[in-house]
């Protein structure tokens, strides 16, 4: 591989610390975290989108275009999460670039359809840790293509990460089982928790649809107020990357509290510690974010 695919800079730049490591670019915070987990010390990861950024609405800047054009290997989520940016990424892949859509590794038989998007796939596959393990395998393959010498390390790190995801899934199932069955309804700002609900036995209702491009209508709000009252629900939830306005209105009209803020399409800031039960977790990582989300939902609904 030529020098262009690697970080080779002096001590005054990203520096001696990153010298000789494969430079990878990732679109969302979730994908960037996954690449860091699988890449380890061999890879330095740069992300396009920061904490709290909504990928549905993100528009690539001129600076982003330059970073994409220079990247040796690019990882994105896929299944239209990044909207129109995906067309550009697919064209880049068609021209021989190493561009990996990690959610595309999930077999169609395991995907959900987006009910409001003309039959398109629901892109929020990370809601189920078992599916995010598929994405981890895709990252390992992409890194291996860019850096064949690291193949064994990438494979071993992906295997260890899968074990952590399996443990997370079992723990989450046990926690959700603490919620009374009638209360297992998760209402959030937009329909980002379908896979989460399927994995852990929750009925999921989004005020907005799969994408946040369109806003909730008055009929959507009225329908959800009726649902909250009919089921006697105790809480609903806002999201860190979506405006809380619609959920707050339903909360007022239905007389139900906001149970907390969930992370949906973006992680928190790296190193941002929040309480999940009696533990402090880093919501700047996928594993920490999921533990925080599960704990917030359980405490809010039970």
């Amino acid at each position: 591989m030529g020098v262009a695919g690697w970080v080779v800079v002096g001590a005054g730049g990203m520096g001696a610390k990153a010298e000789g490591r494969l430079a990878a670019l990732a679109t969302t915070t979730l994908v960037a975290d996954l690449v860091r987990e699988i890449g380890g010390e061999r890879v330095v990861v740069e992300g396009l989108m920061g904490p709290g950024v909504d990928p549905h609405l993100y528009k690539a800047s001129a600076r982003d275009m330059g970073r994409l054009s220079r990247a040796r290997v690019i990882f994105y989520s896929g299944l239209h999460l990044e909207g129109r940016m995906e067309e550009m990424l697919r064209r880049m892949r068609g021209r021989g670039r190493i561009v990996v859509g990690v959610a595309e590794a999930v077999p169609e038989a395991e995907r959900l359809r987006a009910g409001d998007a003309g039959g398109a796939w629901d892109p929020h596959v990370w809601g189920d840790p078992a599916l995010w393990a598929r994405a981890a395998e895709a990252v390992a393959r992409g890194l291996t293509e860019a850096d064949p010498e690291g193949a064994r390390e990438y494979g071993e790190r992906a295997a260890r990460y899968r074990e952590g995801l399996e443990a997370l899934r079992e723990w989450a199932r046990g926690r959700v089982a603490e919620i009374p069955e009638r209360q297992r309804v998760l209402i959030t700002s937009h329909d980002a928790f379908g896979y989460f609900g399927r994995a852990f036995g929750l009925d999921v209702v989004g005020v907005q649809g799969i994408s946040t491009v369109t806003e909730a209508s008055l009929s959507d709000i009225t329908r959800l107020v009726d649902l909250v009252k009919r089921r006697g629900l105790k809480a609903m939830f806002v999201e860190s990357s979506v405006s809380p306005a619609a959920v707050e209105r339903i909360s007022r009209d239905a007389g139900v509290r906001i149970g907390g803020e969930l992370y949906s399409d973006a992680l928190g800031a790296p190193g941002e510690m929040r309480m999940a039960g009696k533990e402090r977790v880093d919501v700047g990582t996928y594993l920490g974010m999921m533990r925080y989300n599960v704990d917030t939902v359980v405490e809010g609904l039970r």
Side-chain angles (χ1 to χ4, degrees), residues 30-96:
L30 284 149
V31 175
D33 173 70
L34 186 58
V35 179
R36 290 187 186 101
E37 290 285 354
I38 308 305
E41 292 299 316
R42 294 187 68 90
V43 181
V44 59
V45 184
E46 185 177 14
L48 286 185
M49 305 178 199
V53 173
D54 183 350
H56 296 286
L57 303 178
Y58 188 80
K59 294 182 180 179
S61 67
R63 181 171 179 267
D64 290 339
M65 298 299 292
R67 293 156 75 189
L68 286 164
S69 68
R70 292 188 298 271
R72 166 64 181 165
V73 56
I74 300 167
F75 296 92
Y76 68 102
S77 196
L79 304 184
H80 298 288
L81 180 76
E82 291 94 344
R84 293 183 179 178
M85 187 186 296
E86 289 191 31
E87 298 175 13
M88 174 189 64
L89 293 169
R90 290 196 185 95
R91 287 197 300 270
M92 294 173 69
R93 183 164 56 196
R95 294 195 293 266

Side-chain angles (χ1 to χ4, degrees), residues 92-128:
M92 294 173 69
R93 183 164 56 196
R95 294 195 293 266
R97 303 285 301 280
I98 303 175
V99 181
V100 181
V102 301
E104 295 170 5
V106 176
E108 292 189 2
E110 298 178 36
R111 298 178 191 173
L112 294 173
R113 291 286 183 182
D116 65 337
W121 298 114
D122 181 343
H124 304 91
V125 298
W126 57 86
D128 184 347

Side-chain angles (χ1 to χ4, degrees), residues 165-178 200 276-277 279 281 287-288 290-296 298:
L165 293 173
E166 290 169 6
L168 170 68
R169 199 170 194 261
E170 289 306 307
W171 169 84
R173 282 181 165 175
R175 286 287 281 138
V176 171
E178 299 174 20
F200 304 124
E279 292 185 58
V281 297
L287 294 174
M290 285 290 287
R291 287 182 66 86
Y292 173 80
N293 274 0
V294 169
D295 187 76
T296 300
V298 171

Side-chain angles (χ1 to χ4, degrees), residues 131-156:
L131 301 187
W132 204 230
R134 302 255 192 195
E137 294 166 0
V139 169
R141 290 193 294 270
L143 291 174
T144 296
E145 183 178 355
D147 173 26
E149 293 180 1
R152 179 175 179 178
E153 181 174 344
Y154 300 140
E156 290 174 348

